[in-house]
Amino acid sequence: MALIFDLTEDPQQVVQVSAWVGDWHSYVVRLVDELGSPVDITTGTLGITFTNIATGSAYTFASGSVTLTKQYSAQGILSILNPAAYATAAMIRITVSFTVSTTVRRFGPLEIEVLAP
């Protein structure tokens, strides 16, 4: 059974998870508004940002590109597959953007603590 993480438009509502160096799997998230209602993502463009929390700069992967897959668009559910496995221990902040026309909405953060075994 996959966990679904609710990401809100309130940046104070932080979702925290952990992963190991070398992990490479999807995260299933639901984009919700400030009232907790799902945001319909059927039309519009999704984007993602990975930030190294310690440095404030972009967290980069050795290769590849992120895969964002709309699972149940009307319910705001999508999966995020990182470009590659986590190479080093780090604290990473993920934010998702959803753009319709000229309106950009931001969801998250999902903070991932990548641990070295």
Side-chain angles (χ1 to χ4, degrees), residues 71-85:
Q71 300 287 331
Y72 299 99
S73 297
Q75 294 300 312
I77 298 175
L78 66 133
S79 65
I80 302 168
L81 178 61
N82 294 342

Side-chain angles (χ1 to χ4, degrees), residues 31 39-48 66 68-71 73 76-80 96-100 105 107:
L31 305 183
V39 174
D40 188 337
I41 58 172
T42 303
T43 59
T45 305
L46 293 167
I48 192 161
V66 69
L68 298 174
T69 305
K70 295 178 181 180
Q71 300 287 331
S73 297
I77 298 175
L78 66 133
S79 65
I80 302 168
V96 176
S97 64
F98 176 58
T99 306
V100 176
R105 298 170 75 179
F107 298 85

Side-chain angles (χ1 to χ4, degrees), residues 15-55:
V15 177
Q16 296 177 319
V17 297
S18 296
W20 293 107
V21 168
D23 280 358
W24 187 23
H25 53 79
S26 294
Y27 296 95
V28 179
V29 300
R30 176 179 25 239
L31 305 183
V32 297
D33 64 19
E34 63 279 354
L35 300 175
S37 300
V39 174
D40 188 337
I41 58 172
T42 303
T43 59
T45 305
L46 293 167
I48 192 161
T49 304
F50 295 91
T51 305
N52 181 318
I53 294 173
T55 65

Side-chain angles (χ1 to χ4, degrees), residues 6-15 32-35 95 106-110:
D6 284 348
L7 299 184
T8 71
E9 292 181 275
D10 180 354
Q12 298 299 314
Q13 298 294 320
V14 178
V15 177
V32 297
D33 64 19
E34 63 279 354
L35 300 175
T95 53
R106 300 200 189 301
F107 298 85
L110 173 63

